Amino acid sequence: MNNIKWICTFMPKYTKVMNSKIIIFAAFIVLSAFSCKATKEGKNAETKEGVNKIKLDSKNPIVGNWSWLETYCCGRMKGVEKASITKEIKGLNIYPDGNYERTENGKVTTTGKYTMGTGTPYKGRESIQFDENVGALLQINGDTAILSWEYMDLQIETYVRAK
């Protein structure tokens, strides 16, 4: 009998505490869902509208034909791949109309559109984006172009302007 009396006394208090915890947990889930949605929308808005476009014209220093020199890749697959060692002839042709093509041993392997800007993911730094991929940081030093995907394994491609 003592057990029944204890259960009858304890259960209403326990039920109130559990109901409160369930309500708090449900509120937490709802708020989390809304905060994630807001974050995603903010990122999309930044990606689509937050890029300061760089004018595409024939005077843009990236426009032209580029010969691949080397690719440095780190992270999981560290190493340097060099044209002088592999004897591969890779090219990157950038046109003023926003189109590009990649070549290997004289054959076109990829074509598409590129955009240039100073926005996502490299705020305030000049970048180039091929198709829908994340952009690469772009650095041009005279006749050398360096494309750096700092966000992902730090892959860096180096090209020299084709003559």
Side-chain angles (χ1 to χ4, degrees), residues 50-138:
V51 175
N52 302 317
K53 298 287 183 180
I54 296 172
K55 185 177 178 187
L56 300 178
D57 62 27
S58 59
K59 294 177 186 168
N60 187 326
I62 191 64
V63 170
N65 299 328
W66 298 88
S67 297
W68 172 73
L69 289 179
E70 67 181 26
T71 298
Y72 170 78
C73 187
C74 59
R76 293 163 282 186
M77 299 177 64
K78 290 184 179 184
V80 177
E81 181 182 17
K82 295 185 178 218
S84 59
I85 295 171
T86 65
K87 304 297 183 204
E88 290 183 70
I89 302 169
K90 296 180 185 178
L92 176 62
N93 303 322
I94 306 287
Y95 302 105
D97 63 358
N99 289 303
Y100 79 94
E101 63 185 17
R102 289 186 182 267
T103 62
E104 282 187 34
N105 300 319
K107 295 182 181 178
V108 176
T109 58
T110 309
T111 62
K113 297 272 186 198
Y114 73 94
T115 55
M116 295 186 64
T118 58
T120 305
Y122 309 107
K123 295 181 187 338
R125 299 165 72 189
E126 190 170 358
S127 62
I128 186 167
Q129 179 177 347
F130 297 100
D131 299 311
E132 298 298 319
N133 300 317
V134 175
L137 183 62
L138 175 63

Side-chain angles (χ1 to χ4, degrees), residues 10-22:
F10 177 73
M11 283 309 285
K13 291 177 186 175
Y14 178 75
T15 305
K16 280 185 179 180
V17 170
M18 286 309 293
N19 285 341
S20 298
K21 287 183 178 181
I22 290 171

Side-chain angles (χ1 to χ4, degrees), residues 121-122 125 135-137 139 147-156:
Y122 309 107
R125 299 165 72 189
L137 183 62
Q139 202 174 1
L147 304 176
S148 173
W149 283 267
E150 290 182 352
Y151 70 95
M152 188 174 103
D153 285 344
L154 298 173
Q155 179 174 324
I156 300 169

Side-chain angles (χ1 to χ4, degrees), residues 25 43 56:
F25 181 71
K43 283 185 180 178
L56 300 178

